[in-house]
């Protein structure tokens, strides 16, 4: 079959331009949560290094941690294994089921809950909360403000809040359209043929994806989409200040190295002061 990936269509000029964060993925749908996990779970990121980094902000054992958008609980289980009390929250029912199995298989207890971190009541007096590995960039500043305020209430005084951000790549800063064929299905039960529109909003530093997906077997079709924002250190300072946090460190990666101009990642440590 002819490879149709990356066939670009010439212009977005005649298509109504969406607004940043106008569309969001159905994270709360159980089957979507399963398919999303199956598409992204083998992304090869260094869980051990991340967990070691998180432990810097906990006592050696017996700390209380909150894993926001925990997915299948790889950080929660890592911390529980060193004797910390952990609550992991994710909006996806499938990933929480998987996280519970994961904890069971390691013989540790973790309190995994299904919920939306923007609004659900969180446990109190935590030493550490973390919102890492990509998800923060998919939320609007308003939604992140809600998360920060929620987390502020969950931490004890001097508790740490760790966030991880990724910068956009040059190809994210383009307006373009193209067709591609999914290898693993994300939108429907079977792989889809997807018409992707990508918009870049330079003022907001937001990439928006609007996908029109057609299930290759059932021919069902629907529109999906999401946004991804590059949050600058100034954006983080603003979000932090508005919710009562102070930014105390900024690292380029989980090895604790300082950020460089070309660092793709930014890890910020905020404290409740
Ligand atoms: C890229 S995965 C990362 C999972 C995990 N932090 C990890 O590093 O393995 C992002 C997760 O965010 C969850 N998520 C998205 N929006 C959410 C929300 N508003 N509240 C809670 N979880 C959310 C998704 O269900 C998904 O499991």
């Amino acid at each position: 079959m002819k490879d149709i990936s990356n066939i670009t269509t010439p212009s977005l000029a005649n298509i109504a331009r969406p607004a940043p964060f106008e569309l969001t993925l159905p994270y709360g749908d159980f089957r979507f949560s399963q398919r999303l996990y199956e598409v992204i779970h083998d992304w090869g990121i260094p869980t051990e290094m991340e967990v070691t980094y998180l432990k810097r902000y906990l006592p050696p054992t017996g700390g209380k941690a909150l894993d926001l958008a925990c997915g299948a609980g790889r950080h929660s289980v890592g911390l529980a294994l060193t004797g910390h009390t952990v609550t992991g929250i994710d909006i996806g029912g499938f990933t929480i089921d998987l996280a519970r199995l994961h904890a069971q298989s390691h013989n540790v207890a973790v309190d995994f809950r299904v919920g939306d971190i923007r609004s659900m009541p969180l446990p109190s007096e935590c030493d550490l909360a973390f919102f890492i590995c990509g998800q923060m960039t998919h939320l609007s500043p308003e939604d992140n403000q809600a998360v920060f305020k929620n987390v502020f209430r969950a931490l004890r005084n001097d508790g740490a809040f760790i966030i991880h951000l990724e910068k956009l790549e040059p190809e994210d800063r383009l307006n373009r359209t193209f067709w591609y064929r999914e290898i693993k299905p994300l939108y429907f039960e079977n792989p889809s043929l997807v018409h992707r529109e990508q918009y870049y909003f330079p003022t907001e530093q937001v990439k928006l994806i609007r996908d029109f997906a057609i299930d290759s077997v059932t021919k069902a079709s629907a529109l999906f989409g999401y946004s991804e924002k590059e949050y600058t250190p100034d954006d983080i300072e603003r979000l932090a200040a508005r919710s009562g946090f102070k930014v105390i460190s900024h690292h380029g990666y989980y090895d604790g190295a300082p950020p460089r101009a070309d660092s793709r990642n930014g890890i910020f440590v905020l404290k409740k002061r």
Side-chain angles (χ1 to χ4, degrees):
M1 184 185 280
K2 194 173 170 217
D3 179 11
I4 53 155
S5 60
N6 284 317
I7 295 180
T8 53
T9 46
S11 166
L12 287 165
N14 298 322
I15 304 177
R17 201 171 159 82
F21 298 101
E22 186 176 293
L23 292 162
T24 176
L25 293 173
Y27 292 109
D29 177 273
F30 188 93
R31 282 287 295 134
F32 180 80
S33 141
Q34 178 168 14
R35 291 193 299 265
L36 178 66
Y37 179 78
E38 282 160 5
V39 168
I40 64 174
H41 81 279
D42 55 356
W43 51 11
I45 39 180
T47 302
E48 230 179 278
M49 190 189 225
E50 293 163 358
V51 170
T52 302
Y53 178 90
L54 295 172
K55 282 185 196 160
R56 295 172 176 213
Y57 301 95
L58 282 167
T61 188
K64 192 170 173 188
L66 179 57
D67 184 352
L68 301 152
C70 65
R74 59 199 182 93
H75 304 110
S76 292
V77 170
L79 293 176
L81 280 167
T82 24
H84 299 294
T85 301
V86 190
T87 303
I89 294 169
D90 199 283
I91 202 167
F94 175 82
T95 49
I96 288 294
D97 284 355
L98 209 58
R100 289 182 179 135
L101 290 174
H102 186 191
Q104 250 174 38
S105 72
H106 284 84
N107 219 9
V108 287
V110 178
D111 180 9
F112 284 116
R113 306 180 190 173
V114 176
D116 187 331
I117 56 170
R118 291 168 291 189
S119 53
M120 80 179 286
L122 302 175
S124 57
E125 291 298 306
C126 295
D127 300 292
L128 168 70
F130 53 96
F131 187 22
I132 64 175
C133 291
Q135 201 51 40
M136 186 177 159
T137 55
H138 291 252
L139 292 184
S140 66
E142 294 72 30
D143 281 345
N144 274 313
Q145 193 71 76
V147 173
F148 277 43
K149 287 189 171 158
N150 208 8
V151 172
F152 187 83
R153 288 188 290 272
L155 289 176
R156 65 163 170 78
N157 277 338
D158 210 39
F161 179 29
I162 295 180
I163 56 182
H164 173 184
L165 298 160
E166 278 175 26
K167 288 187 185 156
L168 295 177
E169 300 281 6
E171 63 266 27
D172 293 319
R173 300 181 199 274
L174 301 173
N175 290 296
R176 56 182 176 165
T177 64
F178 56 92
W179 285 94
Y180 71 94
R181 214 159 48 92
E182 290 179 329
I183 298 166
K184 289 185 186 172
L186 177 64
Y187 291 133
F188 292 108
E189 295 301 321
N190 309 291
S192 293
L193 181 62
V194 180
H195 181 260
R196 170 160 292 188
E197 294 160 40
Q198 176 179 311
Y199 298 87
Y200 180 63
F201 300 87
T203 311
E204 296 87 351
Q205 299 212 69
V206 170
K207 171 181 91 168
L208 181 144
I209 294 294
R210 184 161 67 177
D211 281 345
F212 180 68
I214 309 163
D215 183 305
S216 57
V217 175
T218 66
K219 309 294 183 227
S221 62
L223 207 55
F224 298 88
Y226 63 90
S227 297
E228 207 176 328
K229 176 169 167 60
E230 181 164 301
Y231 285 93
T232 62
D234 283 350
D235 291 329
I236 300 307
E237 290 283 355
R238 258 190 305 277
L239 279 167
R242 284 189 194 139
S243 19
F245 284 110
K246 193 165 170 34
V247 179
I248 60 147
S249 319
H250 175 189
H251 297 127
Y253 200 55
Y254 290 102
D255 55 6
R260 298 193 322 226
D262 64 348
S263 297
R264 172 123 215 270
N265 299 275
I267 299 152
F268 292 82
V269 184
L270 282 56
K271 283 249 174 157
K272 175 170 175 173
R273 291 264 159 92

